[in-house]
Amino acid sequence: MYLEIRDNVSRNKIEILKEKIKEKGYRILEIKDLGIIKIAVIGNNDKDFKILDLDEDKIVEKARVIDVPYRFSSRDFKKEDTVINIKGIKIGGNEFSLFAGPCSIENREMIIRIAEEVKKNGGKILRGGAFKPRTSPYDFQGLEEEGLIYMREACDKYGLLMCTEVMDTKNIENICKYADILQVGARNMQNFSLLKELGGIDKPILLKRGMSATIKEFLMAAEYLVAYGNSKIILCERGIRTFETMTRNTVDINGIAYIRKISHLPLIIDASHGTGVDVLVEPVTLAGIMAGVNGAMIEVHEKPQEALSDKEQTLNFIQFESLCKKIFKTFEFKKNI
Amino acid sequence: MYLEIRDNVSRNKIEILKEKIKEKGYRILEIKDLGIIKIAVIGNNDKDFKILDLDEDKIVEKARVIDVPYRFSSRDFKKEDTVINIKGIKIGGNEFSLFAGPCSIENREMIIRIAEEVKKNGGKILRGGAFKPRTSPYDFQGLEEEGLIYMREACDKYGLLMCTEVMDTKNIENICKYADILQVGARNMQNFSLLKELGGIDKPILLKRGMSATIKEFLMAAEYLVAYGNSKIILCERGIRTFETMTRNTVDINGIAYIRKISHLPLIIDASHGTGVDVLVEPVTLAGIMAGVNGAMIEVHEKPQEALSDKEQTLNFIQFESLCKKIFKTFEFKKNI
Amino acid sequence: MYLEIRDNVSRNKIEILKEKIKEKGYRILEIKDLGIIKIAVIGNNDKDFKILDLDEDKIVEKARVIDVPYRFSSRDFKKEDTVINIKGIKIGGNEFSLFAGPCSIENREMIIRIAEEVKKNGGKILRGGAFKPRTSPYDFQGLEEEGLIYMREACDKYGLLMCTEVMDTKNIENICKYADILQVGARNMQNFSLLKELGGIDKPILLKRGMSATIKEFLMAAEYLVAYGNSKIILCERGIRTFETMTRNTVDINGIAYIRKISHLPLIIDASHGTGVDVLVEPVTLAGIMAGVNGAMIEVHEKPQEALSDKEQTLNFIQFESLCKKIFKTFEFKKNI
Amino acid sequence: MYLEIRDNVSRNKIEILKEKIKEKGYRILEIKDLGIIKIAVIGNNDKDFKILDLDEDKIVEKARVIDVPYRFSSRDFKKEDTVINIKGIKIGGNEFSLFAGPCSIENREMIIRIAEEVKKNGGKILRGGAFKPRTSPYDFQGLEEEGLIYMREACDKYGLLMCTEVMDTKNIENICKYADILQVGARNMQNFSLLKELGGIDKPILLKRGMSATIKEFLMAAEYLVAYGNSKIILCERGIRTFETMTRNTVDINGIAYIRKISHLPLIIDASHGTGVDVLVEPVTLAGIMAGVNGAMIEVHEKPQEALSDKEQTLNFIQFESLCKKIFKTFEFKKNI
């Protein structure tokens, strides 16, 4: 449930109430929504929570129970889009965030070269894998920490944010030393141990939709992060698994439109994994923008055919530049239509 | 296979060659593609076809075998978009075709009233069901011929083309008396008897993708129409069946982008059936436009809540007007990006 | 809804009541279930049906409304298994019915030769296609009526029932001249025009589950046949479409077990189409028996590798004989466990 | 690749060769298959491995490259069924292994009470969750270590093996103190960090198929365990996600039959999760036996309606006893058919 605080209540009184709620064993999340201060009361049994006896100063205007299972990720809790601010770069709301980079970091030079292109074309976040989830144990597994070092250097050189995947609770601390955004991959969307630990850190999480996760399960995974303390979440639609085999996955464009209506969290589209076919990345990314995404993730490589992974779906620099121009034009068009 | 005819060959010589090919038991389809006359040689064993001995006048520049199974629906046969002209109204290429109307024709007044709205908002084709494929035998099955009469009247009054579903070979002749475009529904996409007969008529066919049809199977269904003589085909993506239950179907946005690349046939999106949720029709239709569709089909009703079918996904007149404006703006934007 | 008739009511009174119900515009289906005579009152608005004023002789013990949408196909209407008797051969209940034969009838000799094997191994019904639903218009489309003639001859020679597919309302009358059981293929499961017409004939229908049909939609398709007058229905699970590609389809073993619990209709398994892999036909067919099927359909051919269709999934005579022995042993075991 | 060793070669020479291969940086797995000693040469680049120069004693009869991606999990490597021996209890081959227990361990008494029933009815392995993967953060998350202690006590009291889920690399060491078999849940099937660490322990792993994992991806997950050193793997089919909603999942009976043909690893069926419906657990489990499984997992609870999780699919003691009798009868029947 959550509490709406009356206008013009002193900060002091609010803090006193929050303390009392915490003493009752609940976790707190304070937000401002349409000018109203709302305090989320987070806990398994939050519906049993009684405010009356706690609210001595009578600062609570309303106490509301949320009916949807993805409680604090929903617009039932927060009507306004959530905007996440990382080192001055905003994600969500009216900002468009371009995440781009290689599937895997292969060496220092390549990631620096790609970072330059990403920056040049308006990208704000560099993506790249140092720990790679590969279907086969016999495939390249990533450069691990060495990759993180190269990627950090590339980000610092071009003023980009660094987004990379975390696959294991053991690596969280180490990855946090380098990355600005931690990515949870599709295969780990319901790795609840990982989600719980990431709930405890203060870095934003890019949460990818599992390939057979329903919209509800996707938002429930986000809810794990909120419930364990981290509300800085960026959702990512990267395609679901269907019977169609001509494309690697099927981008759930309905899901994109629907999630934007029921959740206040930023949502981006990854049409590289979503389609698995380089020539489809452009039309499907632009489609995602009209469906309402707040950003896009694109796989780009200087020589896709020599990439160590995801050859088929990775754009070269010419394709990338052309797509970026269209992306920003389309987002402007969408905002004003 | 198909034959490319040399430039400046007399019509007479072409007709002579076509006759000879027909005598060999093949069906013919003559098209012009990028200024070149191409003659499709249609038949099960077309790969065994030998041109040399037939081409006495040496008017054939090249004879090409097509490697994809959806032979004459593919861009391997025809690079240019196919444009279908019906009573001066063009479908395909740079034209945007808006199909709109109710799920079912309920009475004379309602279809005339809706036709007026469709016309007013730039629609060119009125859609509506007289013979309804209903999951339950106990649900409303449609007005049948009575509905066709009302719909024809509405189309004539407002200068709209009439598009309605045919469910059975027995009804083809009768429906042809009224309709300008015959729709094959998703459940009949692989009703091969129906496809064969529709191959024999001279009216355009709107072919809806089956809910579990692969892109290949979809194009193979179109190929049935071509192989049996009818190349006036409009494809329609209306959502596929997946595990997701929050939406009625999942619009295959990847499929839209892919089909436009591999086939020259016009493709439209039906986001009403594709999403099953009225508030998703707008974002998903606009997304389809950016993915490359040549048109859209929209379910509209004066009072959706009183509709005899598809309540949840049908727009009212206010929603419809607002969407139409955005549709045409977005198509213009897409053409010029 | 349906009516339970009191014990020891004269046939005469029952007929009088049935007449009155028909006069009200309802269709009638009389069955005996656990010794009780039940009269189904079939019609869209059957829930509004009022019996009191009609039942002058007070022969109705109870009038029950059925809550599930697949009304008369459900065990809510009939608890006992339905047993269909065709020329003395029983299908359903404690009988096991083996349907076997080639995918397509290729010539007279082959179908006669296969019929001999089917008979020899305990098969009671010969299956074979004369009208073939092929994904490609360029593939073999079947021998049509010629095939029916050969198949009838083969059935008569070995005392087998003839089961063949009907794809079009136009062919019903003709196929009825030859066949004992008419098959509705997976692609036509929701060809409602076909179902309605088949509701009007007095031959049993083998109804195959559509490849993306839910259990509910499957039973609703059967309900079409009942609602339009034909309650002699044999259901067939032949695999659904999923993301798995190593097998042609995925046999819904859960669905088999579930349908047997909620419906009184006979259900058979077609593991040839269900798996698409010859070596999987045996284990999956035997699995189906333990899940409760009343019969099985097997594709068999003297030389599968030379078959004109379905090579990969068709058994040769040695595999077939071995499987048949195990099938009957397993069914006996299942009955007594 | 793998090496076949000549007959009657001294252990000493074999060990020398194994050492040399390890020195080249490969991992080794020695098995006996149909009387032949085979040595797996495990490593990303095993195809480049050259034996000639290493095999001074000429003890290698053949060196074979394996063509399927799931190399050492396949029958291309090992024809015989793998049998895992845990404290004298055998899993795989001609043994049938019954895994049973509650979804979650709720308290000491309940797990001891259930263990008694499992033992009484022929179960050899107690299953139960102490760390629970729950879709919602607001649902019961398990008793954690407290649950492990109770479960160990219950197993020791009745001489059962203990099988429980591990969700995180951090818990492996702790769970190993108690459990005999570590379960990797469906949601973690592609949690590669977890698989790699489990490759390093000497306890058997029960690997559940992911709900949208293909057969190939399932075997590749097993291959991770082998490649990282642990070949004691028990596969578990627990249903895949499809469009069907009447059942929680769809048991892939085709997959069961197929996996048994292409892999030598033991495979069990979990029809409790596979169907999600208590009355379907019996028919589907028995079906799985005919399709070839080596065991079954059943959820059982003294009062299913009071269970903290999985109420709908959990059997009570009467249902459980009746099912167990049929399971063993059916397995005997299957062996002798």
Side-chain angles (χ1 to χ4, degrees):
Chain A
M1 77 172 355
Y2 68 90
L3 313 173
E4 289 189 11
I5 305 300
R6 299 186 187 289
D7 294 346
N8 313 318
V9 172
S10 72
R11 170 52 41 189
N12 184 25
K13 287 179 175 172
I14 293 173
E15 294 306 326
I16 289 167
L17 181 62
K18 283 162 73 172
E19 273 318 304
K20 287 190 191 149
I21 298 170
K22 284 187 196 148
E23 282 162 14
K24 292 277 179 187
Y26 294 97
R27 189 175 278 105
I28 285 292
L29 171 60
E30 178 181 337
I31 60 157
K32 201 153 193 176
D33 184 35
L34 302 171
I36 301 163
I37 291 173
K38 295 180 176 181
I39 295 171
V41 179
I42 306 173
N44 305 0
N45 54 346
D46 70 341
K47 286 178 182 170
D48 315 339
F49 175 77
K50 298 267 162 296
I51 183 62
L52 293 175
D53 45 336
L54 291 183
D55 185 20
E56 290 167 357
D57 300 321
K58 299 278 166 286
I59 66 170
V60 175
E61 177 128 32
K62 301 202 199 73
R64 298 185 179 282
V65 168
I66 304 172
D67 287 330
V68 294
Y70 35 91
R71 301 178 193 172
F72 304 108
S73 307
S74 77
R75 292 207 191 254
D76 293 12
F77 170 55
K78 184 166 185 276
K79 310 237 163 335
E80 282 183 318
D81 280 4
T82 285
V83 178
I84 299 170
N85 189 322
I86 314 168
K87 300 178 176 175
I89 293 172
K90 291 178 179 165
I91 297 175
N94 286 323
E95 304 292 324
F96 188 86
S97 306
L98 178 59
F99 293 63
C103 175
S104 314
I105 303 156
E106 296 166 12
N107 58 61
R108 181 173 171 281
E109 292 59 36
M110 74 86 80
I111 190 66
I112 289 176
R113 179 75 187 84
I114 290 171
E116 183 185 0
E117 285 298 308
V118 171
K119 181 67 175 185
K120 201 183 76 186
N121 291 291
K124 295 227 175 72
I125 305 103
L126 184 67
R127 66 142 285 150
F131 299 87
K132 296 300 304 173
R134 304 303 302 275
T135 301
S136 169
Y138 307 119
D139 290 341
F140 175 60
Q141 306 282 311
L143 291 183
E144 308 196 336
E145 184 154 14
E146 185 187 355
L148 297 176
I149 295 166
Y150 299 150
M151 194 176 179
R152 184 71 259 171
E153 180 186 353
C155 287
D156 292 341
K157 183 165 183 186
Y158 295 103
L160 297 168
L161 296 179
M162 171 173 167
C163 175
T164 196
E165 180 165 356
V166 56
M167 290 171 60
D168 189 354
T169 52
K170 285 184 319 174
N171 298 121
I172 293 174
E173 195 178 344
N174 196 20
I175 293 175
C176 282
K177 289 195 210 124
Y178 303 93
D180 300 299
I181 302 171
L182 275 65
Q183 172 178 321
V184 174
R187 293 173 184 75
N188 279 315
M189 189 202 83
Q190 290 192 313
N191 178 341
F192 300 117
S193 301
L194 185 61
L195 295 176
K196 289 178 185 178
E197 294 246 346
L198 292 173
I201 70 171
D202 66 354
K203 300 229 180 195
I205 308 301
L206 179 80
L207 180 66
K208 287 196 153 196
R209 181 177 179 180
M211 67 180 77
S212 67
T214 60
I215 292 169
K216 181 186 161 190
E217 289 168 337
F218 187 22
L219 293 178
M220 292 310 289
E223 195 68 6
Y224 256 94
L225 294 167
V226 178
Y228 284 84
N230 190 346
S231 57
K232 299 206 213 92
I233 303 161
I234 303 153
L235 302 171
C236 179
E237 164 64 34
R238 44 79 69 205
I240 57 174
R241 177 159 275 178
T242 69
F243 59 79
E244 181 56 62
T245 54
M246 270 200 188
T247 51
R248 180 175 175 180
N249 293 294
T250 298
V251 167
D252 184 3
I253 197 79
N254 293 3
I256 287 173
Y258 210 157
I259 288 168
R260 292 289 291 131
K261 296 210 178 289
I262 61 180
S263 174
H264 56 83
L265 295 171
L267 172 67
I268 69 169
I269 182 173
D270 173 355
S272 300
H273 288 88
T275 65
V277 183
D278 56 1
V279 295
L280 301 183
V281 173
E282 175 179 305
V284 174
T285 300
L286 300 183
I289 293 171
M290 293 311 291
V293 294
N294 304 98
M297 178 174 275
I298 310 286
E299 283 192 342
V300 57
H301 192 285
E302 186 160 15
K303 301 197 179 89
Q305 289 325 309
E306 297 172 14
L308 294 181
S309 47
D310 288 353
K311 287 179 176 42
E312 305 69 18
Q313 71 196 37
T314 300
L315 303 189
N316 61 37
F317 290 168
I318 294 114
Q319 295 170 308
F320 180 64
E321 181 174 4
S322 145
L323 172 54
C324 291
K325 287 198 176 64
K326 294 180 182 176
I327 281 176
F328 292 110
K329 268 195 219 163
T330 305
F331 188 68
E332 280 314 301
F333 171 75
K334 169 70 164 58
K335 274 197 291 187
N336 303 320
I337 195 174
Chain B
M1 78 175 347
Y2 69 90
L3 314 174
E4 288 188 12
I5 306 300
R6 298 187 188 288
D7 294 347
N8 313 318
V9 173
S10 71
R11 170 54 39 190
N12 185 24
K13 286 179 175 173
I14 293 172
E15 293 306 327
I16 289 166
L17 180 63
K18 284 163 71 174
E19 272 320 304
K20 287 190 191 148
I21 298 169
K22 285 188 194 147
E23 282 161 14
K24 291 278 179 186
Y26 294 95
R27 187 175 281 105
I28 285 294
L29 171 61
E30 178 181 338
I31 61 157
K32 202 153 192 175
D33 183 36
L34 300 171
I36 301 163
I37 291 173
K38 294 180 175 181
I39 295 171
V41 179
I42 305 173
N44 305 359
N45 55 345
D46 72 339
K47 286 177 182 170
D48 316 338
F49 174 77
K50 298 268 161 295
I51 183 61
L52 293 177
D53 46 334
L54 290 184
D55 184 20
E56 290 168 356
D57 301 321
K58 299 279 165 285
I59 66 169
V60 176
E61 177 127 33
K62 300 202 199 73
R64 297 185 180 282
V65 167
I66 304 172
D67 287 329
V68 293
Y70 35 90
R71 300 178 193 172
F72 304 109
S73 307
S74 78
R75 291 207 191 255
D76 294 12
F77 171 53
K78 184 166 186 277
K79 311 237 162 333
E80 283 183 319
D81 280 4
T82 284
V83 177
I84 299 170
N85 188 322
I86 314 168
K87 299 177 175 175
I89 294 172
K90 290 179 180 163
I91 297 175
N94 286 322
E95 304 292 324
F96 189 87
S97 307
L98 178 59
F99 293 64
C103 175
S104 313
I105 303 158
E106 295 167 12
N107 58 60
R108 182 173 171 281
E109 291 59 37
M110 75 87 79
I111 190 66
I112 290 176
R113 180 75 187 83
I114 290 171
E116 183 185 2
E117 286 299 308
V118 172
K119 181 67 175 186
K120 199 183 78 187
N121 291 290
K124 296 229 174 75
I125 305 104
L126 184 67
R127 67 142 283 152
F131 298 87
K132 296 302 301 173
R134 305 303 302 275
T135 301
S136 169
Y138 307 119
D139 290 341
F140 175 60
Q141 305 282 312
L143 291 184
E144 306 196 338
E145 184 154 14
E146 185 187 353
L148 298 175
I149 294 167
Y150 299 150
M151 195 176 177
R152 184 70 259 171
E153 180 186 352
C155 287
D156 291 342
K157 182 165 183 186
Y158 295 102
L160 297 168
L161 296 179
M162 170 174 168
C163 175
T164 196
E165 179 164 355
V166 56
M167 290 170 60
D168 188 356
T169 53
K170 285 184 321 176
N171 298 119
I172 293 175
E173 194 178 345
N174 195 21
I175 293 176
C176 281
K177 289 196 210 121
Y178 302 94
D180 300 299
I181 301 171
L182 275 64
Q183 172 177 323
V184 174
R187 294 173 183 73
N188 278 316
M189 190 202 82
Q190 290 192 314
N191 179 342
F192 300 117
S193 300
L194 185 60
L195 295 176
K196 288 178 184 178
E197 294 247 345
L198 292 173
I201 69 170
D202 67 353
K203 301 230 180 194
I205 307 301
L206 179 80
L207 180 66
K208 288 197 152 194
R209 182 177 179 181
M211 68 179 76
S212 67
T214 60
I215 292 169
K216 183 185 160 191
E217 290 168 337
F218 187 22
L219 293 178
M220 292 310 291
E223 195 68 6
Y224 257 93
L225 294 166
V226 179
Y228 284 84
N230 189 347
S231 58
K232 298 206 213 92
I233 303 161
I234 303 154
L235 302 172
C236 179
E237 163 65 33
R238 44 78 68 205
I240 58 175
R241 177 159 276 178
T242 69
F243 59 80
E244 181 56 62
T245 54
M246 270 201 189
T247 51
R248 180 175 175 179
N249 293 295
T250 299
V251 167
D252 184 3
I253 197 80
N254 293 3
I256 287 173
Y258 211 157
I259 287 168
R260 292 289 292 129
K261 295 208 179 291
I262 61 179
S263 175
H264 55 83
L265 296 170
L267 172 67
I268 70 169
I269 182 174
D270 173 356
S272 300
H273 287 87
T275 65
V277 183
D278 56 2
V279 296
L280 300 184
V281 173
E282 176 179 306
V284 174
T285 299
L286 300 183
I289 293 172
M290 294 310 291
V293 294
N294 305 98
M297 178 174 275
I298 310 287
E299 284 191 342
V300 56
H301 191 286
E302 187 160 14
K303 302 198 181 88
Q305 290 324 309
E306 296 172 15
L308 294 181
S309 48
D310 287 353
K311 287 179 174 42
E312 304 68 18
Q313 71 195 38
T314 299
L315 303 189
N316 60 37
F317 290 168
I318 294 115
Q319 294 170 309
F320 179 64
E321 181 174 4
S322 146
L323 172 55
C324 290
K325 286 198 177 65
K326 293 179 183 177
I327 282 176
F328 292 110
K329 266 194 220 164
T330 305
F331 188 69
E332 280 314 301
F333 172 76
K334 169 70 164 57
K335 274 196 292 186
N336 303 319
I337 195 173
Chain C
M1 78 175 349
Y2 67 90
L3 313 173
E4 289 189 10
I5 306 299
R6 298 185 189 290
D7 295 347
N8 313 317
V9 171
S10 72
R11 170 52 41 189
N12 184 26
K13 287 179 175 173
I14 293 173
E15 294 305 328
I16 290 168
L17 181 62
K18 284 162 71 175
E19 272 318 304
K20 289 193 191 144
I21 297 170
K22 285 188 194 146
E23 285 162 14
K24 292 278 179 186
Y26 294 96
R27 188 174 278 104
I28 284 295
L29 170 61
E30 179 181 339
I31 61 157
K32 202 155 192 175
D33 183 36
L34 301 170
I36 301 162
I37 291 173
K38 294 181 175 179
I39 294 171
V41 178
I42 306 173
N44 306 1
N45 55 345
D46 72 340
K47 286 177 181 170
D48 316 338
F49 175 78
K50 297 268 162 295
I51 183 60
L52 294 176
D53 47 332
L54 290 183
D55 184 19
E56 289 167 359
D57 300 321
K58 299 279 164 287
I59 66 171
V60 176
E61 178 127 33
K62 301 202 198 74
R64 297 185 180 281
V65 168
I66 304 171
D67 287 329
V68 294
Y70 35 91
R71 301 178 193 172
F72 304 109
S73 307
S74 77
R75 290 205 191 256
D76 293 12
F77 170 53
K78 184 165 186 277
K79 311 236 162 332
E80 283 183 319
D81 280 4
T82 284
V83 178
I84 299 169
N85 188 322
I86 314 168
K87 299 178 176 175
I89 294 173
K90 290 178 180 165
I91 297 175
N94 287 321
E95 304 292 324
F96 189 87
S97 306
L98 178 59
F99 293 63
C103 176
S104 313
I105 302 157
E106 295 166 12
N107 58 61
R108 182 173 171 281
E109 293 59 39
M110 75 85 80
I111 190 68
I112 290 176
R113 179 73 187 86
I114 290 171
E116 183 185 2
E117 285 298 308
V118 171
K119 181 68 176 186
K120 200 184 78 185
N121 291 291
K124 295 228 174 75
I125 305 103
L126 185 67
R127 68 142 283 152
F131 298 87
K132 297 301 303 174
R134 304 304 301 277
T135 302
S136 170
Y138 307 119
D139 290 341
F140 174 60
Q141 305 281 314
L143 291 184
E144 306 197 336
E145 184 154 15
E146 186 187 355
L148 297 175
I149 294 167
Y150 299 149
M151 194 176 178
R152 183 72 259 172
E153 180 186 353
C155 288
D156 291 342
K157 183 166 182 185
Y158 295 104
L160 297 167
L161 296 178
M162 172 174 166
C163 175
T164 196
E165 179 165 355
V166 55
M167 289 171 60
D168 188 356
T169 53
K170 286 183 319 173
N171 298 121
I172 293 175
E173 193 178 347
N174 195 20
I175 293 175
C176 282
K177 289 195 209 123
Y178 302 94
D180 300 301
I181 302 171
L182 274 65
Q183 173 178 319
V184 174
R187 293 173 183 74
N188 279 315
M189 190 202 83
Q190 289 192 315
N191 178 340
F192 300 117
S193 301
L194 185 61
L195 295 175
K196 288 177 184 179
E197 293 246 345
L198 292 172
I201 69 171
D202 68 352
K203 300 230 179 194
I205 307 301
L206 179 80
L207 180 67
K208 288 197 153 194
R209 181 177 179 181
M211 66 180 77
S212 66
T214 60
I215 293 169
K216 182 186 160 190
E217 289 168 337
F218 187 22
L219 293 177
M220 292 311 290
E223 195 69 6
Y224 256 93
L225 295 166
V226 179
Y228 284 84
N230 189 347
S231 58
K232 298 206 213 94
I233 303 161
I234 303 155
L235 302 171
C236 179
E237 163 65 34
R238 45 77 70 205
I240 58 174
R241 177 160 275 178
T242 69
F243 59 79
E244 181 55 63
T245 55
M246 270 200 188
T247 52
R248 180 174 175 180
N249 293 294
T250 298
V251 167
D252 184 3
I253 198 78
N254 293 4
I256 288 173
Y258 211 157
I259 288 168
R260 291 289 291 129
K261 295 209 179 289
I262 61 180
S263 174
H264 55 83
L265 296 171
L267 172 67
I268 69 170
I269 181 174
D270 173 355
S272 300
H273 288 88
T275 66
V277 183
D278 56 1
V279 296
L280 300 184
V281 174
E282 176 179 305
V284 173
T285 299
L286 299 184
I289 293 173
M290 293 310 292
V293 294
N294 304 99
M297 178 173 275
I298 311 286
E299 284 191 341
V300 56
H301 191 285
E302 187 161 15
K303 302 199 179 89
Q305 289 324 309
E306 296 173 14
L308 294 181
S309 47
D310 287 354
K311 286 177 176 44
E312 304 69 19
Q313 71 195 37
T314 300
L315 303 188
N316 61 37
F317 289 168
I318 294 115
Q319 295 170 308
F320 180 64
E321 180 175 4
S322 146
L323 172 54
C324 291
K325 286 198 176 67
K326 293 179 182 177
I327 281 176
F328 292 110
K329 267 195 219 163
T330 305
F331 188 69
E332 280 313 302
F333 171 75
K334 169 68 164 58
K335 274 196 293 187
N336 304 317
I337 194 173
Chain D
M1 78 174 351
Y2 67 90
L3 314 172
E4 289 189 10
I5 305 300
R6 297 185 189 289
D7 295 347
N8 313 317
V9 172
S10 72
R11 169 54 40 190
N12 183 25
K13 287 180 173 172
I14 293 173
E15 294 305 327
I16 289 166
L17 180 62
K18 283 162 71 174
E19 273 318 305
K20 287 190 191 149
I21 297 170
K22 285 187 195 149
E23 284 161 14
K24 291 279 180 186
Y26 294 96
R27 189 175 277 104
I28 285 293
L29 170 61
E30 178 181 339
I31 60 156
K32 202 154 192 174
D33 184 36
L34 301 170
I36 301 163
I37 291 173
K38 294 180 174 180
I39 295 171
V41 179
I42 306 173
N44 305 0
N45 55 345
D46 72 340
K47 286 178 182 171
D48 316 338
F49 175 76
K50 298 266 161 299
I51 182 60
L52 294 176
D53 46 335
L54 291 183
D55 184 20
E56 289 166 357
D57 299 323
K58 299 280 164 286
I59 66 169
V60 175
E61 178 125 34
K62 301 202 198 73
R64 297 185 180 284
V65 167
I66 304 172
D67 288 330
V68 293
Y70 35 91
R71 301 177 194 173
F72 304 108
S73 307
S74 77
R75 290 207 192 257
D76 293 13
F77 170 54
K78 184 164 185 277
K79 311 235 161 335
E80 283 183 319
D81 279 4
T82 284
V83 178
I84 299 170
N85 189 321
I86 314 168
K87 300 177 175 175
I89 293 171
K90 290 178 179 165
I91 296 175
N94 286 322
E95 304 292 325
F96 189 86
S97 306
L98 179 59
F99 294 63
C103 176
S104 313
I105 302 157
E106 296 167 11
N107 58 61
R108 182 174 170 280
E109 292 58 40
M110 74 86 79
I111 191 67
I112 289 176
R113 179 74 188 84
I114 290 171
E116 183 185 3
E117 285 299 307
V118 171
K119 181 68 175 184
K120 200 183 79 187
N121 291 291
K124 295 229 174 73
I125 306 101
L126 185 66
R127 67 141 284 153
F131 298 87
K132 296 302 302 174
R134 304 303 302 277
T135 302
S136 170
Y138 307 119
D139 290 340
F140 175 60
Q141 306 282 312
L143 291 184
E144 307 197 337
E145 184 154 13
E146 185 187 356
L148 297 175
I149 294 167
Y150 298 150
M151 194 176 179
R152 184 71 260 171
E153 181 186 353
C155 287
D156 291 342
K157 182 165 183 186
Y158 295 103
L160 296 168
L161 296 180
M162 172 173 167
C163 175
T164 196
E165 180 164 356
V166 56
M167 291 171 60
D168 189 354
T169 52
K170 286 184 318 174
N171 299 120
I172 293 175
E173 193 178 346
N174 196 20
I175 293 176
C176 282
K177 288 194 210 127
Y178 302 93
D180 300 299
I181 301 171
L182 275 64
Q183 173 178 320
V184 174
R187 292 173 184 75
N188 279 315
M189 190 202 84
Q190 290 192 314
N191 178 341
F192 300 117
S193 300
L194 185 60
L195 296 176
K196 288 178 185 180
E197 294 246 345
L198 292 173
I201 69 170
D202 68 352
K203 301 228 178 195
I205 307 301
L206 179 80
L207 180 66
K208 288 198 153 195
R209 182 177 179 180
M211 67 180 75
S212 67
T214 61
I215 293 169
K216 182 185 159 191
E217 289 168 337
F218 187 22
L219 294 178
M220 292 310 290
E223 195 68 7
Y224 256 93
L225 294 166
V226 179
Y228 283 84
N230 189 346
S231 59
K232 299 205 211 92
I233 303 161
I234 303 154
L235 302 171
C236 179
E237 163 65 32
R238 45 78 69 205
I240 57 173
R241 177 160 274 178
T242 70
F243 59 78
E244 181 56 61
T245 54
M246 271 200 187
T247 51
R248 180 174 175 180
N249 293 294
T250 298
V251 167
D252 184 4
I253 198 77
N254 293 3
I256 287 173
Y258 209 156
I259 288 168
R260 292 289 292 130
K261 296 211 179 288
I262 62 180
S263 175
H264 55 83
L265 296 171
L267 172 67
I268 70 170
I269 182 174
D270 173 354
S272 300
H273 287 88
T275 66
V277 184
D278 56 0
V279 296
L280 300 184
V281 173
E282 176 179 306
V284 173
T285 299
L286 300 183
I289 293 172
M290 293 310 292
V293 294
N294 304 98
M297 179 174 275
I298 309 287
E299 284 192 341
V300 57
H301 192 286
E302 188 160 14
K303 302 199 179 85
Q305 289 324 310
E306 298 172 14
L308 294 181
S309 48
D310 287 353
K311 286 177 175 45
E312 305 69 18
Q313 72 196 35
T314 299
L315 303 188
N316 61 36
F317 290 167
I318 293 115
Q319 294 170 307
F320 180 64
E321 180 175 5
S322 146
L323 172 54
C324 291
K325 288 197 177 67
K326 292 180 182 176
I327 282 175
F328 292 110
K329 267 194 219 164
T330 304
F331 189 69
E332 279 315 300
F333 171 76
K334 169 68 163 58
K335 274 197 293 187
N336 303 318
I337 195 174

